[in-house]
PDB file of all heavy atoms in Angstrom:
ATOM      1  N   PRO A1031     120.186  77.058 121.323  1.00 90.00           N
ATOM      2  CA  PRO A1031     120.175  76.994 119.847  1.00 90.00           C
ATOM      3  C   PRO A1031     121.266  77.843 119.208  1.00 90.00           C
ATOM      4  O   PRO A1031     121.887  77.426 118.215  1.00 90.00           O
ATOM      5  CB  PRO A1031     118.775  77.512 119.491  1.00 90.00           C
ATOM      6  CG  PRO A1031     117.940  77.177 120.682  1.00 90.00           C
ATOM      7  CD  PRO A1031     118.843  77.388 121.856  1.00 90.00           C
ATOM      8  N   SER A1032     121.516  79.032 119.755  1.00 89.00           N
ATOM      9  CA  SER A1032     122.555  79.893 119.171  1.00 89.00           C
ATOM     10  C   SER A1032     123.948  79.360 119.486  1.00 89.00           C
ATOM     11  O   SER A1032     124.888  79.569 118.718  1.00 89.00           O
ATOM     12  CB  SER A1032     122.411  81.327 119.701  1.00 89.00           C
ATOM     13  OG  SER A1032     122.583  81.370 121.109  1.00 89.00           O
ATOM     14  N   MET A1033     124.108  78.661 120.598  1.00 88.00           N
ATOM     15  CA  MET A1033     125.409  78.082 120.940  1.00 88.00           C
ATOM     16  C   MET A1033     125.721  76.857 120.077  1.00 88.00           C
ATOM     17  O   MET A1033     126.883  76.602 119.754  1.00 88.00           O
ATOM     18  CB  MET A1033     125.450  77.698 122.421  1.00 88.00           C
ATOM     19  CG  MET A1033     125.405  78.874 123.380  1.00 88.00           C
ATOM     20  SD  MET A1033     125.654  78.363 125.089  1.00 88.00           S
ATOM     21  CE  MET A1033     127.333  77.759 125.056  1.00 88.00           C
ATOM     22  N   LEU A1034     124.694  76.112 119.711  1.00 90.00           N
ATOM     23  CA  LEU A1034     124.906  74.908 118.913  1.00 90.00           C
ATOM     24  C   LEU A1034     125.437  75.231 117.523  1.00 90.00           C
ATOM     25  O   LEU A1034     126.236  74.483 116.961  1.00 90.00           O
ATOM     26  CB  LEU A1034     123.594  74.114 118.789  1.00 90.00           C
ATOM     27  CG  LEU A1034     123.099  73.410 120.050  1.00 90.00           C
ATOM     28  CD1 LEU A1034     121.759  72.740 119.789  1.00 90.00           C
ATOM     29  CD2 LEU A1034     124.105  72.379 120.534  1.00 90.00           C
ATOM     30  N   LYS A1035     124.958  76.344 116.955  1.00 85.00           N
ATOM     31  CA  LYS A1035     125.363  76.737 115.592  1.00 85.00           C
ATOM     32  C   LYS A1035     125.110  75.578 114.631  1.00 85.00           C
ATOM     33  O   LYS A1035     123.984  75.214 114.385  1.00 85.00           O
ATOM     34  CB  LYS A1035     126.817  77.200 115.587  1.00 85.00           C
ATOM     35  CG  LYS A1035     127.055  78.459 116.408  1.00 85.00           C
ATOM     36  CD  LYS A1035     128.521  78.899 116.364  1.00 85.00           C
ATOM     37  CE  LYS A1035     128.726  80.160 117.195  1.00 85.00           C
ATOM     38  NZ  LYS A1035     130.145  80.584 117.211  1.00 85.00           N
ATOM     39  N   GLU A1036     126.172  74.969 114.085  1.00 86.00           N
ATOM     40  CA  GLU A1036     125.984  73.922 113.083  1.00 86.00           C
ATOM     41  C   GLU A1036     125.818  72.533 113.691  1.00 86.00           C
ATOM     42  O   GLU A1036     125.503  71.584 112.980  1.00 86.00           O
ATOM     43  CB  GLU A1036     127.168  73.915 112.111  1.00 86.00           C
ATOM     44  CG  GLU A1036     127.256  75.162 111.245  1.00 86.00           C
ATOM     45  CD  GLU A1036     128.452  75.125 110.313  1.00 86.00           C
ATOM     46  OE1 GLU A1036     129.595  75.216 110.810  1.00 86.00           O
ATOM     47  OE2 GLU A1036     128.247  74.999 109.100  1.00 86.00           O
ATOM     48  N   TRP A1037     126.050  72.403 114.998  1.00 89.00           N
ATOM     49  CA  TRP A1037     125.867  71.097 115.628  1.00 89.00           C
ATOM     50  C   TRP A1037     124.383  70.766 115.722  1.00 89.00           C
ATOM     51  O   TRP A1037     123.565  71.639 116.034  1.00 89.00           O
ATOM     52  CB  TRP A1037     126.495  71.066 117.015  1.00 89.00           C
ATOM     53  CG  TRP A1037     127.908  70.576 116.993  1.00 89.00           C
ATOM     54  CD1 TRP A1037     128.331  69.283 117.089  1.00 89.00           C
ATOM     55  CD2 TRP A1037     129.096  71.366 116.844  1.00 89.00           C
ATOM     56  NE1 TRP A1037     129.705  69.214 117.011  1.00 89.00           N
ATOM     57  CE2 TRP A1037     130.204  70.487 116.856  1.00 89.00           C
ATOM     58  CE3 TRP A1037     129.328  72.735 116.711  1.00 89.00           C
ATOM     59  CZ2 TRP A1037     131.505  70.916 116.751  1.00 89.00           C
ATOM     60  CZ3 TRP A1037     130.637  73.167 116.588  1.00 89.00           C
ATOM     61  CH2 TRP A1037     131.700  72.264 116.606  1.00 89.00           C
ATOM     62  N   PRO A1038     124.002  69.519 115.501  1.00 89.00           N
ATOM     63  CA  PRO A1038     122.581  69.158 115.490  1.00 89.00           C
ATOM     64  C   PRO A1038     121.941  69.116 116.870  1.00 89.00           C
ATOM     65  O   PRO A1038     120.722  69.275 117.002  1.00 89.00           O
ATOM     66  CB  PRO A1038     122.572  67.765 114.851  1.00 89.00           C
ATOM     67  CG  PRO A1038     123.921  67.201 115.182  1.00 89.00           C
ATOM     68  CD  PRO A1038     124.863  68.368 115.132  1.00 89.00           C
ATOM     69  N   ASN A1039     122.748  68.888 117.918  1.00 90.00           N
ATOM     70  CA  ASN A1039     122.183  68.732 119.258  1.00 90.00           C
ATOM     71  C   ASN A1039     123.281  68.866 120.305  1.00 90.00           C
ATOM     72  O   ASN A1039     124.480  68.924 119.980  1.00 90.00           O
ATOM     73  CB  ASN A1039     121.479  67.377 119.396  1.00 90.00           C
ATOM     74  CG  ASN A1039     122.338  66.237 118.878  1.00 90.00           C
ATOM     75  OD1 ASN A1039     123.432  65.987 119.375  1.00 90.00           O
ATOM     76  ND2 ASN A1039     121.861  65.552 117.840  1.00 90.00           N
ATOM     77  N   THR A1040     122.866  68.906 121.570  1.00 92.00           N
ATOM     78  CA  THR A1040     123.829  69.067 122.668  1.00 92.00           C
ATOM     79  C   THR A1040     124.726  67.848 122.820  1.00 92.00           C
ATOM     80  O   THR A1040     125.871  67.961 123.268  1.00 92.00           O
ATOM     81  CB  THR A1040     123.101  69.333 123.993  1.00 92.00           C
ATOM     82  OG1 THR A1040     122.180  68.255 124.256  1.00 92.00           O
ATOM     83  CG2 THR A1040     122.311  70.641 123.933  1.00 92.00           C
ATOM     84  N   TYR A1041     124.221  66.688 122.449  1.00 92.00           N
ATOM     85  CA  TYR A1041     125.025  65.465 122.555  1.00 92.00           C
ATOM     86  C   TYR A1041     126.251  65.541 121.649  1.00 92.00           C
ATOM     87  O   TYR A1041     127.393  65.333 122.096  1.00 92.00           O
ATOM     88  CB  TYR A1041     124.166  64.252 122.186  1.00 92.00           C
ATOM     89  CG  TYR A1041     124.942  62.965 122.052  1.00 92.00           C
ATOM     90  CD1 TYR A1041     125.509  62.349 123.169  1.00 92.00           C
ATOM     91  CD2 TYR A1041     125.106  62.353 120.811  1.00 92.00           C
ATOM     92  CE1 TYR A1041     126.220  61.165 123.058  1.00 92.00           C
ATOM     93  CE2 TYR A1041     125.816  61.165 120.685  1.00 92.00           C
ATOM     94  CZ  TYR A1041     126.366  60.578 121.806  1.00 92.00           C
ATOM     95  OH  TYR A1041     127.076  59.401 121.691  1.00 92.00           O
ATOM     96  N   ALA A1042     126.044  65.847 120.368  1.00 91.00           N
ATOM     97  CA  ALA A1042     127.154  65.887 119.418  1.00 91.00           C
ATOM     98  C   ALA A1042     128.153  66.975 119.785  1.00 91.00           C
ATOM     99  O   ALA A1042     129.375  66.761 119.715  1.00 91.00           O
ATOM    100  CB  ALA A1042     126.622  66.103 117.995  1.00 91.00           C
ATOM    101  N   MET A1043     127.652  68.149 120.183  1.00 92.00           N
ATOM    102  CA  MET A1043     128.566  69.249 120.499  1.00 92.00           C
ATOM    103  C   MET A1043     129.417  68.943 121.727  1.00 92.00           C
ATOM    104  O   MET A1043     130.635  69.158 121.722  1.00 92.00           O
ATOM    105  CB  MET A1043     127.794  70.548 120.721  1.00 92.00           C
ATOM    106  CG  MET A1043     128.720  71.759 120.902  1.00 92.00           C
ATOM    107  SD  MET A1043     127.873  73.314 121.206  1.00 92.00           S
ATOM    108  CE  MET A1043     127.457  73.132 122.948  1.00 92.00           C
ATOM    109  N   THR A1044     128.791  68.426 122.788  1.00 94.00           N
ATOM    110  CA  THR A1044     129.561  68.142 124.005  1.00 94.00           C
ATOM    111  C   THR A1044     130.538  66.992 123.790  1.00 94.00           C
ATOM    112  O   THR A1044     131.617  66.958 124.396  1.00 94.00           O
ATOM    113  CB  THR A1044     128.636  67.836 125.200  1.00 94.00           C
ATOM    114  OG1 THR A1044     127.709  66.798 124.838  1.00 94.00           O
ATOM    115  CG2 THR A1044     127.865  69.079 125.618  1.00 94.00           C
ATOM    116  N   LYS A1045     130.214  66.079 122.912  1.00 94.00           N
ATOM    117  CA  LYS A1045     131.141  65.000 122.590  1.00 94.00           C
ATOM    118  C   LYS A1045     132.356  65.543 121.835  1.00 94.00           C
ATOM    119  O   LYS A1045     133.492  65.066 122.028  1.00 94.00           O
ATOM    120  CB  LYS A1045     130.436  63.917 121.771  1.00 94.00           C
ATOM    121  CG  LYS A1045     129.626  62.931 122.595  1.00 94.00           C
ATOM    122  CD  LYS A1045     130.525  62.109 123.499  1.00 94.00           C
ATOM    123  CE  LYS A1045     129.813  60.946 124.132  1.00 94.00           C
ATOM    124  NZ  LYS A1045     130.721  60.128 124.980  1.00 94.00           N
ATOM    125  N   ALA A1046     132.131  66.539 120.969  1.00 94.00           N
ATOM    126  CA  ALA A1046     133.244  67.161 120.251  1.00 94.00           C
ATOM    127  C   ALA A1046     134.175  67.882 121.218  1.00 94.00           C
ATOM    128  O   ALA A1046     135.403  67.775 121.125  1.00 94.00           O
ATOM    129  CB  ALA A1046     132.699  68.142 119.206  1.00 94.00           C
ATOM    130  N   ILE A1047     133.582  68.605 122.157  1.00 94.00           N
ATOM    131  CA  ILE A1047     134.383  69.328 123.147  1.00 94.00           C
ATOM    132  C   ILE A1047     135.126  68.349 124.063  1.00 94.00           C
ATOM    133  O   ILE A1047     136.278  68.577 124.444  1.00 94.00           O
ATOM    134  CB  ILE A1047     133.490  70.278 123.969  1.00 94.00           C
ATOM    135  CG1 ILE A1047     132.860  71.324 123.040  1.00 94.00           C
ATOM    136  CG2 ILE A1047     134.278  70.965 125.083  1.00 94.00           C
ATOM    137  CD1 ILE A1047     131.764  72.152 123.688  1.00 94.00           C
ATOM    138  N   ALA A1048     134.459  67.238 124.390  1.00 95.00           N
ATOM    139  CA  ALA A1048     135.091  66.223 125.245  1.00 95.00           C
ATOM    140  C   ALA A1048     136.357  65.672 124.591  1.00 95.00           C
ATOM    141  O   ALA A1048     137.367  65.451 125.266  1.00 95.00           O
ATOM    142  CB  ALA A1048     134.097  65.096 125.522  1.00 95.00           C
ATOM    143  N   GLU A1049     136.317  65.456 123.286  1.00 94.00           N
ATOM    144  CA  GLU A1049     137.517  64.955 122.600  1.00 94.00           C
ATOM    145  C   GLU A1049     138.664  65.957 122.738  1.00 94.00           C
ATOM    146  O   GLU A1049     139.825  65.566 122.872  1.00 94.00           O
ATOM    147  CB  GLU A1049     137.205  64.695 121.129  1.00 94.00           C
ATOM    148  CG  GLU A1049     136.329  63.476 120.897  1.00 94.00           C
ATOM    149  CD  GLU A1049     136.174  63.150 119.424  1.00 94.00           C
ATOM    150  OE1 GLU A1049     136.882  63.767 118.598  1.00 94.00           O
ATOM    151  OE2 GLU A1049     135.352  62.283 119.085  1.00 94.00           O
ATOM    152  N   GLY A1050     138.327  67.252 122.717  1.00 92.00           N
ATOM    153  CA  GLY A1050     139.358  68.279 122.888  1.00 92.00           C
ATOM    154  C   GLY A1050     139.996  68.232 124.257  1.00 92.00           C
ATOM    155  O   GLY A1050     141.171  68.620 124.425  1.00 92.00           O
ATOM    156  N   GLU A1051     139.252  67.750 125.250  1.00 92.00           N
ATOM    157  CA  GLU A1051     139.788  67.663 126.608  1.00 92.00           C
ATOM    158  C   GLU A1051     140.891  66.617 126.723  1.00 92.00           C
ATOM    159  O   GLU A1051     141.740  66.687 127.612  1.00 92.00           O
ATOM    160  CB  GLU A1051     138.663  67.346 127.605  1.00 92.00           C
ATOM    161  CG  GLU A1051     137.603  68.430 127.709  1.00 92.00           C
ATOM    162  CD  GLU A1051     138.208  69.788 128.038  1.00 92.00           C
ATOM    163  OE1 GLU A1051     138.687  69.960 129.168  1.00 92.00           O
ATOM    164  OE2 GLU A1051     138.201  70.660 127.148  1.00 92.00           O
ATOM    165  N   ILE A1052     140.863  65.637 125.842  1.00 92.00           N
ATOM    166  CA  ILE A1052     141.892  64.594 125.870  1.00 92.00           C
ATOM    167  C   ILE A1052     143.265  65.188 125.572  1.00 92.00           C
ATOM    168  O   ILE A1052     144.279  64.814 126.171  1.00 92.00           O
ATOM    169  CB  ILE A1052     141.545  63.475 124.872  1.00 92.00           C
ATOM    170  CG1 ILE A1052     140.286  62.735 125.359  1.00 92.00           C
ATOM    171  CG2 ILE A1052     142.708  62.497 124.704  1.00 92.00           C
ATOM    172  CD1 ILE A1052     139.769  61.692 124.397  1.00 92.00           C
ATOM    173  N   ALA A1053     143.285  66.159 124.645  1.00 84.00           N
ATOM    174  CA  ALA A1053     144.557  66.813 124.311  1.00 84.00           C
ATOM    175  C   ALA A1053     145.090  67.644 125.476  1.00 84.00           C
ATOM    176  O   ALA A1053     146.305  67.811 125.630  1.00 84.00           O
ATOM    177  CB  ALA A1053     144.369  67.702 123.084  1.00 84.00           C
ATOM    178  N   VAL A1054     144.164  68.147 126.324  1.00 84.00           N
ATOM    179  CA  VAL A1054     144.558  69.004 127.447  1.00 84.00           C
ATOM    180  C   VAL A1054     144.906  68.187 128.685  1.00 84.00           C
ATOM    181  O   VAL A1054     145.955  68.371 129.301  1.00 84.00           O
ATOM    182  CB  VAL A1054     143.430  70.009 127.782  1.00 84.00           C
ATOM    183  CG1 VAL A1054     143.813  70.867 128.988  1.00 84.00           C
ATOM    184  CG2 VAL A1054     143.129  70.885 126.573  1.00 84.00           C
ATOM    185  N   HIS A1055     143.996  67.283 129.058  1.00 88.00           N
ATOM    186  CA  HIS A1055     144.149  66.545 130.318  1.00 88.00           C
ATOM    187  C   HIS A1055     144.653  65.113 130.135  1.00 88.00           C
ATOM    188  O   HIS A1055     144.867  64.416 131.128  1.00 88.00           O
ATOM    189  CB  HIS A1055     142.810  66.511 131.064  1.00 88.00           C
ATOM    190  CG  HIS A1055     142.278  67.861 131.429  1.00 88.00           C
ATOM    191  ND1 HIS A1055     142.802  68.625 132.451  1.00 88.00           N
ATOM    192  CD2 HIS A1055     141.268  68.597 130.895  1.00 88.00           C
ATOM    193  CE1 HIS A1055     142.132  69.760 132.538  1.00 88.00           C
ATOM    194  NE2 HIS A1055     141.199  69.781 131.610  1.00 88.00           N
ATOM    195  N   GLY A1056     144.814  64.678 128.878  1.00 88.00           N
ATOM    196  CA  GLY A1056     145.199  63.287 128.647  1.00 88.00           C
ATOM    197  C   GLY A1056     146.649  63.097 128.256  1.00 88.00           C
ATOM    198  O   GLY A1056     147.042  61.998 127.843  1.00 88.00           O
ATOM    199  N   LYS A1057     147.457  64.137 128.400  1.00 89.00           N
ATOM    200  CA  LYS A1057     148.883  64.020 128.047  1.00 89.00           C
ATOM    201  C   LYS A1057     149.592  63.055 129.001  1.00 89.00           C
ATOM    202  O   LYS A1057     149.376  63.094 130.207  1.00 89.00           O
ATOM    203  CB  LYS A1057     149.546  65.390 128.094  1.00 89.00           C
ATOM    204  CG  LYS A1057     149.044  66.357 127.025  1.00 89.00           C
ATOM    205  CD  LYS A1057     149.720  67.712 127.153  1.00 89.00           C
ATOM    206  CE  LYS A1057     149.211  68.679 126.081  1.00 89.00           C
ATOM    207  NZ  LYS A1057     149.817  70.028 126.208  1.00 89.00           N
ATOM    208  N   GLY A1058     150.394  62.206 128.425  1.00 89.00           N
ATOM    209  CA  GLY A1058     151.205  61.315 129.251  1.00 89.00           C
ATOM    210  C   GLY A1058     150.515  60.033 129.664  1.00 89.00           C
ATOM    211  O   GLY A1058     151.033  59.294 130.502  1.00 89.00           O
ATOM    212  N   ILE A1059     149.344  59.734 129.087  1.00 94.00           N
ATOM    213  CA  ILE A1059     148.666  58.475 129.412  1.00 94.00           C
ATOM    214  C   ILE A1059     148.330  57.737 128.116  1.00 94.00           C
ATOM    215  O   ILE A1059     148.136  58.355 127.064  1.00 94.00           O
ATOM    216  CB  ILE A1059     147.383  58.691 130.248  1.00 94.00           C
ATOM    217  CG1 ILE A1059     146.366  59.544 129.486  1.00 94.00           C
ATOM    218  CG2 ILE A1059     147.693  59.298 131.591  1.00 94.00           C
ATOM    219  CD1 ILE A1059     145.022  59.647 130.195  1.00 94.00           C
ATOM    220  N   PRO A1060     148.249  56.404 128.169  1.00 96.00           N
ATOM    221  CA  PRO A1060     147.928  55.604 126.978  1.00 96.00           C
ATOM    222  C   PRO A1060     146.429  55.644 126.688  1.00 96.00           C
ATOM    223  O   PRO A1060     145.659  54.816 127.186  1.00 96.00           O
ATOM    224  CB  PRO A1060     148.382  54.200 127.368  1.00 96.00           C
ATOM    225  CG  PRO A1060     148.240  54.175 128.870  1.00 96.00           C
ATOM    226  CD  PRO A1060     148.552  55.565 129.347  1.00 96.00           C
TER     227      PRO A1060
END
């Protein structure tokens, strides 16, 4: 609960973090 902060649930938060991974590991691919 304290890690979620303003996120409503673990699904939404992990999906937000997953999008950030595209910028890190998705360079150079379509």
Side-chain angles (χ1 to χ4, degrees):
S1032 62
M1033 293 187 65
L1034 289 177
K1035 296 181 180 178
E1036 293 179 291
W1037 268 272
N1039 48 61
T1040 57
Y1041 171 69
M1043 186 181 78
T1044 53
K1045 278 295 191 178
I1047 298 169
E1049 288 187 9
E1051 296 305 291
I1052 293 175
V1054 178
H1055 299 286
K1057 293 178 180 178
I1059 61 173

